[in-house]
Amino acid sequence: MVMNAVLVRKAGGPEQLYVGEVPRPVPGKGQVLIRVVATSVNGADLVQRAGRYPAPRGESEILGLEAAGEIAALGAGVSDWKVGDEVMSLVAGGGYAEYALAWADHLLPKPENISFTEAACIAEVYLTAYLNLFLVGELEDGETVLVHGGGGGVNTAAIQLCQELVPGVRMMVTASPKKVERVQDLGVHRVVNYRAEDFAEVAKEFTSARGLDLVLDHIGADYLDANMRALGVGGRLVVIGISSGPRTELNLGRMMVKRQRIIGSVLRSRTVEEKAALIASFRAAVMPALEARRIVPVIHAVFPLELVGEAHRAMAAGAHFGKLALKVAPVGIE
Ligand SMILES: NC(=O)c1ccc[n+]([C@@H]2O[C@H](COP(=O)([O-])OP(=O)(O)OC[C@H]3O[C@@H](n4cnc5c(N)ncnc54)[C@H](OP(=O)(O)O)[C@@H]3O)[C@@H](O)[C@H]2O)c1
């Protein structure tokens, strides 16, 4: 049997993307087949399309790190789920297709009062934010945190997760001038216009010179020194992206005296078992807030699968606020 999926003619720009037919995957032991209703665009998809971020070995080469839909078939040994269950899932690839494989222990039940489009904007960014703020970054209630780019998918999720799980945390968030007001509306304590203000100086004022407890960074080289200046004694810097580059200088003296830590973290390359443990922790901590719609993903725009190239152009242009979703199933199923 065949299915439609987004394919890449050859590594390059968004014009290389097209919808074509490929064989429908068959679930193996411990896996399920999801009939995908919606998926979403993540930064990694653009880098993979350009040929600079190959799918992990053995995983689907089709783009797409998450999928929301209905279970269409079960692989051997899957007993906790049944055909027809509505789910959302992290996938290591293959989300931009009518059917996608997922590990049964990576599935999350789609809450009834969340649409498939919303459900498709949860797994990658909320799991990334949850993992790196709480499990890697060890953020505790009462601490202070800086996240960069508060209008992005991961960081709108990070803001909501802090407000839900550690309401005593004080958040500082950077944004470009056109996004400052909307980030302020999300209810953070201090928004920094990163084009006009030095966020390390603002961090000093924000913490009465003590320095921050945690910084979540995806800018990399250009922000390393300022991130470390912004942190206080015992502060942690979690690096989840390197958009400005991977190499720069580090003042080891200051890091040593202040007993600071820098931790790099990637979700996609973690093992199936590590992801299952993360998802179980997330399910217990965050699903009640999703079910009650206290947490709802911020969605900037929804594109039909055929306009996937437009969705990639929009992501690259960076004017979006929150997530860009892709609708896979025919209009009518929300
Ligand atoms: N390590 C992992 O496992 C993992 C997983 C998922 C994502 N990521 C990474 O996390 C990052 C965010 O992903 P995303 O999906 O949220 O992307 P996104 O929606 O494009 O968000 C990125 C945000 O960064 C902001 N930004 C750009 N330059 C900035 C700067 N110099 N200072 C502060 N903010 C800046 C942009 O907003 P402005 O318009 O305000 O600049 C934008 O809102 C990406 O680098 C992605 O690769 C890592």
Side-chain angles (χ1 to χ4, degrees):
M1 279 198 280
V2 293
M3 65 171 185
N4 283 323
V6 172
L7 305 173
V8 186
R9 267 182 215 97
K10 65 176 177 36
E15 71 287 350
Q16 298 299 339
L17 299 172
Y18 69 102
V19 176
E21 283 189 349
V22 291
R24 188 189 291 187
V26 176
K29 189 168 178 230
Q31 293 182 318
V32 306
L33 184 69
I34 301 175
R35 188 179 68 84
V36 182
V37 176
T39 180
S40 76
V41 180
N42 288 288
D45 306 343
L46 278 65
V47 191
Q48 185 173 336
R49 183 207 68 217
R52 299 196 308 273
Y53 190 27
R57 199 200 300 230
E59 302 292 351
S60 170
E61 289 187 2
I62 296 170
L63 302 180
L65 298 177
E66 58 196 311
E70 265 181 20
I71 296 183
L74 304 175
V78 177
S79 54
D80 294 345
W81 301 92
K82 59 183 190 317
V83 170
D85 282 349
E86 296 183 347
V87 294
M88 48 199 193
S89 186
L90 200 62
V91 295
Y96 289 16
E98 286 180 313
Y99 291 86
L101 291 180
W103 292 101
D105 53 11
H106 290 181
L107 298 175
L108 290 163
K110 182 188 86 64
E112 261 178 32
N113 59 357
I114 282 201
S115 72
F116 282 106
T117 308
E118 288 168 337
C121 295
I122 290 173
E124 175 70 11
V125 292
Y126 284 85
L127 284 167
T128 296
Y130 177 78
L131 168 69
N132 294 300
L133 287 172
F134 301 110
L135 308 184
V136 176
E138 299 172 1
L139 182 63
E140 288 187 5
D141 213 357
E143 289 193 320
T144 50
V145 63
L146 163 64
V147 302
H148 288 299
V154 172
N155 290 315
T156 46
I159 293 167
Q160 293 176 340
L161 288 174
C162 283
Q163 290 167 339
E164 172 69 23
L165 300 179
V166 283
V169 156
R170 292 179 60 243
M171 293 198 83
M172 229 181 90
V173 180
T174 57
S176 56
K178 57 187 182 307
K179 294 183 185 170
V180 162
E181 208 175 310
R182 285 200 67 186
V183 174
Q184 192 72 66
D185 290 345
L186 296 178
V188 304
H189 299 87
R190 175 68 156 91
V191 186
V192 181
N193 170 352
Y194 69 75
R195 295 235 167 83
E197 297 179 277
D198 175 346
F199 66 81
E201 287 302 314
V202 177
K204 276 189 206 150
E205 282 164 38
F206 186 70
T207 59
S208 310
R210 199 182 146 270
L212 297 160
D213 295 303
L214 178 67
V215 176
L216 180 63
D217 177 72
H218 64 280
I219 306 300
D222 285 358
Y223 275 8
L224 180 67
D225 187 63
N227 281 335
M228 297 304 276
R229 280 191 286 122
L231 285 174
V233 172
R236 293 90 65 196
L237 167 63
V238 179
V239 179
I240 63 164
I242 46 170
S243 63
S244 67
R247 289 175 196 274
T248 185
E249 282 190 3
L250 172 64
N251 182 341
L252 281 169
R254 183 175 55 214
M255 185 180 171
M256 179 179 69
V257 170
K258 290 194 169 180
R259 305 189 304 276
Q260 296 168 331
R261 282 182 285 155
I262 303 175
I263 311 154
S265 174
V266 168
L267 175 58
R268 192 180 192 184
S269 60
R270 286 173 193 252
T271 64
V272 172
E273 293 74 22
E274 285 170 325
K275 287 179 189 167
L278 164 65
I279 288 159
S281 169
F282 178 88
R283 187 171 175 172
V286 183
M287 282 306 287
L290 288 165
E291 283 158 6
R293 288 187 75 83
R294 288 196 302 281
I295 290 183
V296 180
V298 179
I299 299 182
H300 182 83
V302 185
F303 295 83
L305 198 64
E306 297 69 35
L307 294 186
V308 59
E310 292 309 310
H312 274 217
R313 282 186 191 96
M315 183 88 178
H320 60 288
F321 194 95
K323 290 288 292 175
L324 298 167
L326 286 175
K327 195 71 190 300
V328 181
V331 179
I333 307 172
E334 294 305 323

